[in-house]
C-alpha cells in the first residue's frame, strides 16, 4: 500500500538542471526496482532511469545527463537532470519496475524551452 508523489518539475532553458523527487507514503525498501518514466505529448510513456538497491541504468537518450538515486530510509527516489534538452520536455513519473497501476501519480511537468 504505497502512494507516490512526484515534485520538482518546472520550466528551464536548454542546458539547465532540475532535480525531481518522488516521495512515497510507505516504505519502498521492499520494492526491488524503482524507476522514472516520462511521457511527452503524443508519445507513449517511456522508461528513462531505473535503480535497484545496488545498480542503476538509463535510457540512451538521457545517459550521462540524468542520475537516479534512492533513499529507502526517506522513502524517496530522486532524478537529477543536467544538460536538459527540449526533447526532455515531458511529464515525469516514478513507479516500480515493472510499474504497478496503483502506483501511478499525477507526475511533474518538465518543460525545456529557449
Amino acid at each position: 500500500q504505497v502512494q507516490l508523489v512526484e515534485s520538482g518539475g518546472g520550466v528551464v532553458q536548454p542546458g539547465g538542471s532540475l532535480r525531481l523527487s518522488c516521495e512515497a507514503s510507505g516504505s519502498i525498501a521492499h520494492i526491488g526496482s524503482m524507476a522514472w518514466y516520462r511521457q511527452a505529448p503524443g508519445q507513449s510513456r517511456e522508461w528513462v532511469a531505473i535503480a535497484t538497491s545496488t545498480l542503476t541504468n538509463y535510457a540512451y537518450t538521457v545517459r550521462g545527463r540524468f542520475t537516479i538515486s534512492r533513499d529507502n530510509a526517506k522513502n524517496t527516489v530522486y532524478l537529477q537532470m543536467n544538460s536538459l534538452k527540449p526533447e526532455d520536455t515531458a511529464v515525469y513519473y516514478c513507479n516500480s519496475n515493472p510499474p504497478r497501476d496503483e502506483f501511478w501519480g499525477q507526475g511533474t511537468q518538465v518543460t525545456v524551452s529557449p
Side-chain angles (χ1 to χ4, degrees):
Q1 190 170 276
V2 174
Q3 298 289 332
L4 304 176
V5 179
E6 301 91 346
S7 63
V11 181
V12 65
Q13 293 184 337
S17 298
L18 288 171
R19 189 176 81 151
L20 308 184
S21 297
C22 171
E23 185 176 0
S25 61
S27 175
I28 60 171
H30 66 289
I31 302 176
S33 182
M34 293 293 296
W36 284 94
Y37 305 81
R38 68 185 182 187
Q39 186 168 23
Q43 303 293 319
S44 60
R45 186 156 47 206
E46 63 176 341
W47 162 84
V48 297
I50 187 171
T52 69
S53 60
T54 58
L55 299 172
T56 60
N57 202 7
Y58 303 90
Y60 176 78
T61 51
V62 308
R63 192 168 299 165
R65 300 187 296 117
F66 291 11
T67 302
I68 186 173
S69 60
R70 60 188 292 179
D71 188 337
N72 288 346
K74 297 181 179 179
N75 297 320
T76 302
V77 184
Y78 303 96
L79 185 67
Q80 178 66 47
M81 306 186 296
N82 299 325
S83 301
L84 284 162
K85 304 175 180 179
E87 51 263 45
D88 295 320
T89 296
V91 178
Y92 284 72
Y93 303 87
C94 65
N95 208 318
S96 57
N97 181 42
R100 298 188 181 189
D101 184 68
E102 65 269 28
F103 286 177
W104 292 119
Q106 64 182 33
T108 185
Q109 176 72 50
V110 172
T111 301
V112 185
S113 175

